Amino acid sequence: MAYGMGNNQPIIILKEGTERSKNKDAQFNNIAAARAVADAVRSTLGPKGMDKMLVDSLGDVVITNDGVTILKEIDVQHPAAKMVVEVAKTQDSECGDGTTSSVIIAGELLKKAESLIETNIHPTIIANGYKMAAAEAINILNTIAIPVSLSDTEMLKKVAQTAMTGKSVGGQKDFLSEIAVKAIKAVAEKGEDGKYTVDVDNIKVEKRTGGSIADTEVIEGIVIDKERVHPRMAKQVKNAKIALLSAPLEIKKTEVEAKIQIRDPAQMQRFLDEEENTLKGYVDKIKATGANVVFCQKGIDDLVQHYLAKADIFASRRLKESDMEKIARATGANIIGKLNEMSEKDLGKAAMVEEKKIGEADMVFITGCKNPKAVSLIIRGGTEHVIDEVERAIHDSLRVIGVAIEDGKVVPGAGAPEIELSLRLAAFASTIGGREQLAIEAFAQAMDVIPWTLAENAGIDAIDVVIQLKSAHEKKGGKNMGIDLDTGKAADMVKMNVLEPLRVKTQAVKSAAEVANMILRIDDVIASRKAPPMPQGAGGMPGMGGGMPGMM
Ligand code: ADP
Ligand code: MG
């Protein structure tokens, strides 16, 4: 008998236990989950934002107000919520800043979409309108951008300082931003089109406890957390010719246990001599290439250390592979696996290789490198916690300065660009007409969430702030007006030194709109039940009830 004829028997295609939600149910459920993520980070936005204390299952504690750090740490289960967390990660990898903002904007776009869906506007129309609005938003942001170049040290420092506001290292903002600008200037590379590229990975960061934040320094060259292997080696080598070896300078222990029968003492001596000759041979080979410095990725036998010291060759052992690569790039050396194949042309060059005491222990400095783009930072601070905070602050600063230089553009912060977007997108909406107009208007209103939240987190009347800012922006020359969180009044953010890279804003709008649209287009969630059920709070189809297990 045919199915469904007369008896309305549903066709069952899904396995028992599968959970399914459709249409508005699915949409509202997904929106609720995505908004829960935004709500989780909302209170951290801005210089007056609060911190979150994250405790993992092992009891380790992280205190931070960094959006992406928070979202990476918490165990988000709901699939739509996970999509929003991805926005923060994209924002972080593209810009190094603006993660909280991007997530908050995504949450607000979805909140506005929810109201539109309730008035029976189809999600596809909303998604279309949002797409148009996002594209227009990028245009608008470009028109309010301010040019910046590599030589604008003061402006670049302000960009770094804006990224650092609200972090606990705030007291050292001026000093740390200076350091960050110096480091970026050293690694920025000008392309043929006149544009700069900045690879922050070219800046090698070493951390050392002891001293204070003020002892943090930029070294033009490479610093490695190693010392020379033998006290009789000179601490300084001028005009260094550097050999990089990835193979050990010791005799490999045989894998299988070998037994050697030695019958008379002479034979024993021959055996030892042979071993010594091999080891001495290593040093002779290194010497023959003209090297006066050896960095070995593996171990160096005591005897080899002794002969190297006798031959006036400086050596360090067990370097990290990443350090070997950085030294290779900086000095022009080739990393050699077989000592026999090494020749003079494989050696790298540096004006000086030197061991120096930093804090409690020694480090090796390679300065005056062939490639001047090699830079290191030694981060100092009283405790490990302080150093980690400084590292995060410096890292963010390096990223935003780099991004600002690559694009050559910055925008004022403190809600100024969002208010400008809000007003101009609303005007744009009326030129579009049709049902998309409503979505674009909703998009425009969603932009207010940034100044609103900045005010809210500072304990200032948010409605008042948004109204003030809008009327300031409507006046001529008002596009830089943001909120001064100390007075609650509108102020020119260029004069207040609150500047951010343009890309932080464009990327946040772009990826927030993308994820909102992706979530809006889902009208059916089919989830098979996980087996076996997981321990408390994490089991089943996660969060199908709309809640967010594992969220704070
Ligand atoms: P995100 O993760 O989005 O970068 P933050 O907590 O760093 O979040 O806050 C960024 C917001 O704070 C931006 O809108 C930025 O313009 C604003 N902001 C930064 N410094 C100031 C300041 N001194 N006064 C007002 N707003 C500021
Ligand atoms: Mg920030």
Side-chain angles (χ1 to χ4, degrees), residues 414 460 469 482-491 493 496:
I460 301 171
L469 289 183
I483 180 69
D484 178 342
L485 295 172
D486 291 325
T487 64
K489 298 268 172 287
M493 284 303 138
M496 298 282 292

Side-chain angles (χ1 to χ4, degrees), residues 45-46 65-67 96-101 162-165 167 396 400 500 504:
L45 185 78
N65 67 6
D66 184 43
D97 196 18
T99 55
T100 313
S101 305
T162 302
M164 268 188 265
T165 31
K167 292 213 159 60
D396 289 1
V400 292
E500 298 182 84
V504 170

Side-chain angles (χ1 to χ4, degrees), residues 228-260:
R228 66 203 202 286
V229 287
H230 200 286
R232 281 216 311 276
M233 291 173 179
K235 281 195 176 187
Q236 272 191 359
V237 180
K238 287 190 184 127
N239 293 322
K241 296 199 191 81
I242 303 164
L244 295 181
L245 283 174
S246 60
L249 289 174
E250 55 196 356
I251 291 171
K252 266 200 219 117
K253 306 274 178 295
T254 42
E255 302 259 309
V256 210
E257 225 180 297
K259 220 184 223 165
I260 306 166

Side-chain angles (χ1 to χ4, degrees), residues 361-488:
D362 294 316
M363 285 183 157
V364 175
F365 289 63
I366 306 160
T367 51
C369 297
K370 200 174 153 192
N371 174 3
K373 302 248 175 265
V375 186
S376 304
L377 274 174
I378 306 177
I379 297 182
R380 305 290 306 279
T383 68
E384 225 157 285
H385 266 104
V386 171
I387 290 191
D388 288 346
E389 260 310 289
V390 174
E391 187 186 18
R392 278 195 288 271
I394 290 240
H395 179 79
D396 289 1
S397 311
L398 294 173
R399 289 298 312 279
V400 292
I401 300 167
V403 164
I405 286 174
E406 283 188 347
D407 298 348
K409 282 178 182 154
V410 296
V411 289
E418 289 84 6
I419 290 291
E420 192 69 12
L421 284 177
S422 179
L423 292 171
R424 285 167 66 178
L425 285 174
F428 171 69
S430 57
T431 68
I432 298 299
R435 282 173 303 171
E436 271 89 0
Q437 176 173 347
L438 292 173
I440 300 173
E441 273 163 7
F443 194 110
Q445 287 160 16
M447 295 298 121
D448 294 345
V449 73
I450 297 297
W452 180 285
T453 311
L454 286 172
E456 204 171 64
N457 290 346
I460 301 171
D461 182 353
I463 303 180
D464 177 56
V465 162
V466 171
I467 293 173
Q468 256 197 75
L469 289 183
K470 284 195 173 164
S471 81
H473 274 249
E474 273 162 351
K475 294 195 187 99
K476 200 167 176 292
K479 65 179 172 22
N480 296 339
M481 302 299 268
I483 180 69
D484 178 342
L485 295 172
D486 291 325
T487 64

Side-chain angles (χ1 to χ4, degrees), residues 112 139 243 287 293 408 462 510:
K112 299 279 180 209
N139 293 337
K287 218 169 138 184
V293 174
K510 209 183 323 184

